[in-house]
C-alpha cells in the first residue's frame, strides 16, 4: 500500500477538569492525579514529504502563522520529529505547517498537543506503524502533557503525566459535548514557575494522593455532574501573584452563577456553560476586567 505524501492532523487544546498535585518527586517533577479533556478547539498541523532536504540540510522545517512562535529545534513539533527519527530511523524530509489558534503559556496544552500531533503525522507518513505503547513512550519523553493527547478523549493522568488511562464510558458521557468557555488574559504563566512556587509553599499546598484518588473515584463511580469534579490546587500560588484572575472569577461566580476554574498552571481559565448562558454579557465582563486583547472562546469537550 502506498503511503500518503501529506497529512493534516487536528491538534486540540485541553482543560484540566480535576488537577491534584500530590507531592514532589526526587527528580524535581511533581506527582499529579488529573482528569484532562481535549476540546473541539485547537491547532492544525499539516505535514508534507518534501522533494529533498532544504538548503540548511535539516530533515524537518516548520512554518507557523504566528510569527511570535519559535520554529527552530526548541519547538515541540521539531523535537517530536527528531524523537520519531531516533526511534524509527526514518530518513525522509518533511515540511510542517502549523496553524496556531491555542494561546501560548495558557495551561491549555497547545505546545504539547502539537508535539503529539507531529508524532501521529509522521507515524502515518512513514508507515512505521508504531503502536500505542511506543507512541506513549515517545510522547512522555517530549513533555509531561504530551501522552494525554494520544487517546483522543477525556483521560485520567497520573505520575508526571506519563500514565494515562481512559475514563469509564459512563463518566465520559457526563463530559462529552459539554460546552465550555475558555478565557485568558493577555499575559501567560510559566509552568515551571508555578510548580517552583508550589514546592516553596510547603507540603500543605499538596493534596494527599489517597484523598485525591478517593474524590476522583467518588465522582467516577457516582452520577454527579461534571461541575462536581472541578478542582485545581495550583490555583492559590498563581492567584496570589496574578490578582486579575481571582478578581474576575469571583465576579463570574457572583454575577452569572458560573463555577470557573484555572486550567493547568494557567493563565487560561474555563467555565462549563449552562444552556442559555448570557454569553455576550459574560464576554463583556471578561473584556472589562482583562482588557480587549484577552482571549475568549467557546468550545466543547471532545
Ligand atoms: O514536562 P514539561 O516540560 O511540560 O514541564 C514543564 C515544567 O513544569 C517542568 O520543568 C517542571 O518544572 C514542571 N512540572 C512539574 N511536574 C509535572 C509537570 C511539570 O514539576 N508533573
Amino acid at each position: 500500500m502506498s503511503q500518503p505524501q501529506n497529512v493534516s492532523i487536528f491538534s486540540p487544546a485541553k482543560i484540566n477538569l480535576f488537577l491534584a498535585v500530590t507531592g514532589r518527586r526526587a527528580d524535581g517533577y511533581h506527582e499529579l492525579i488529573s482528569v484532562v479533556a481535549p476540546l473541539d478547539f485547537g491547532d492544525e498541523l499539516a505535514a508534507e514529504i518534501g522533494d529533498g532536504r532544504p538548503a540548511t540540510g535539516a530533515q524537518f522545517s516548520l512554518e507557523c502563522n504566528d510569527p511570535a512562535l519559535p520554529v527552530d529545534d526548541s519547538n515541540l513539533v521539531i523535537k517530536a520529529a527528531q524523537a520519531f527519527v531516533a526511534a524509527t530511523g526514518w530518513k525522509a524530509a518533511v515540511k510542517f505547517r502549523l496553524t496556531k489558534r491555542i494561546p501560548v503559556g495558557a495551561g491549555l496544552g497547545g505546545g504539547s498537543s502539537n508535539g503529539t500531533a507531529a508524532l501521529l503525522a509522521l507515524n502515518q507518513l512513514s508507515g512505521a506503524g508504531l503502536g500505542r505503547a511506543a507512541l506513549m513512550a515517545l510522547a512522555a519523553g517530549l513533555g509531561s502533557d504530551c501522552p494525554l493527547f494520544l487517546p483522543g478523549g477525556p483521560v485520567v493522568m497520573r505520575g508526571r503525566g506519563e500514565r494515562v488511562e481512559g475514563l469509564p464510558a459512563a463518566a465520559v458521557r457526563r463530559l462529552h459535548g459539554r460546552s465550555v468557555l475558555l478565557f485568558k488574559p493577555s499575559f501567560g504563566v510559566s509552568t515551571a514557575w508555578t510548580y517552583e512556587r508550589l514546592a516553596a509553599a510547603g507540603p500543605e499546598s499538596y493534596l494527599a494522593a489517597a484523598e485525591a484518588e478517593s474524590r476522583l473515584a467518588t465522582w467516577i463511580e457516582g452520577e454527579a455532574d461534571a461541575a462536581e469534579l472541578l478542582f485545581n490546587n495550583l490555583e492559590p500560588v498563581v492567584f496570589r501573584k496574578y490578582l486579575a484572575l481571582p478578581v474576575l472569577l469571583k465576579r463570574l461566580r457572583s454575577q452569572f452563577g458560573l463555577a470557573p476554574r484555572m486550567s493547568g498552571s494557567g493563565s487560561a481559565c474555563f467555565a462549563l456553560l449552562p444552556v442559555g448562558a448570557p454569553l455576550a454579557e459574560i464576554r463583556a465582563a471578561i473584556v472589562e476586567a482583562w482588557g480587549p486583547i484577552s482571549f475568549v472562546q467557546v468550545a466543547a469537550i471532545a
Side-chain angles (χ1 to χ4, degrees):
M1 204 182 79
S2 69
Q3 294 308 133
Q5 290 297 295
N6 53 71
V7 291
S8 188
I9 307 263
F10 177 62
S11 177
K14 60 86 173 161
I15 51 173
N16 299 80
L17 295 155
F18 179 88
L19 174 54
V21 185
T22 59
R24 195 170 201 198
R25 307 166 15 148
D27 65 4
Y29 277 88
H30 287 81
E31 287 285 339
L32 317 171
I33 301 171
S34 186
V35 176
V36 197
L39 304 176
D40 67 353
F41 163 78
D43 301 337
E44 195 75 32
L45 182 68
E48 183 183 2
I49 298 184
D51 301 332
R53 294 195 178 204
T56 59
Q59 185 175 358
F60 302 108
S61 65
L62 172 63
E63 283 173 20
C64 181
N65 63 323
D66 177 356
L69 211 74
V71 290
D72 60 9
D73 289 5
S74 68
N75 192 296
L76 272 171
V77 169
I78 302 294
K79 283 191 180 160
Q82 289 166 345
F84 184 87
V85 162
T88 60
W90 196 52
K91 300 247 173 349
V94 172
K95 281 200 268 189
F96 290 103
R97 247 179 316 107
L98 178 62
T99 307
K100 197 79 199 152
R101 301 185 192 98
I102 308 171
V104 175
L108 296 174
S112 307
S113 176
N114 298 161
T116 301
L119 294 178
L120 294 173
L122 294 187
N123 207 30
Q124 286 185 27
L125 283 180
S126 67
L130 295 185
R132 170 66 69 88
L135 289 170
M136 277 283 175
L138 283 180
L142 289 175
S144 309
D145 276 351
C146 291
L148 72 91
F149 289 103
L150 281 171
V155 296
V156 183
M157 68 180 209
R158 294 187 174 82
R160 175 174 74 93
E162 76 283 5
R163 297 201 325 268
V164 168
E165 63 177 7
L167 282 168
V172 172
R173 272 197 294 278
R174 281 178 277 155
L175 301 177
H176 181 70
R178 289 295 294 264
S179 183
V180 290
L181 184 69
L182 299 175
F183 47 106
K184 178 192 167 284
S186 55
F187 59 84
V189 171
S190 149
T191 303
W193 174 87
T194 305
Y195 279 103
E196 259 168 47
R197 296 315 305 152
L198 189 79
E204 62 279 5
S205 53
Y206 301 124
L207 182 70
E211 166 72 14
E213 290 291 2
S214 139
R215 277 201 211 181
L216 184 55
T218 301
W219 186 82
I220 289 176
E221 289 155 20
E223 290 174 5
D225 185 73
E228 303 297 317
L229 178 63
L230 303 184
F231 176 76
N232 182 348
N233 66 347
L234 287 175
E235 283 179 351
V237 286
V238 176
F239 287 6
R240 266 198 292 278
K241 175 164 178 188
Y242 299 100
L243 292 175
L245 273 60
V247 167
L248 174 63
L249 298 202
K250 187 172 172 210
R251 178 168 174 196
L252 296 179
R253 274 193 292 271
S254 62
Q255 193 174 341
F256 301 104
L258 297 176
R261 293 249 81 91
M262 186 174 81
S263 182
S265 56
S267 59
C269 299
F270 68 94
L272 297 170
L273 281 175
V275 176
L279 256 185
E281 287 171 46
I282 296 171
R283 188 186 290 266
I286 295 169
V287 169
E288 188 184 298
W290 288 354
I293 57 166
S294 38
F295 163 88
V296 185
Q297 175 72 45
V298 177
I301 294 180

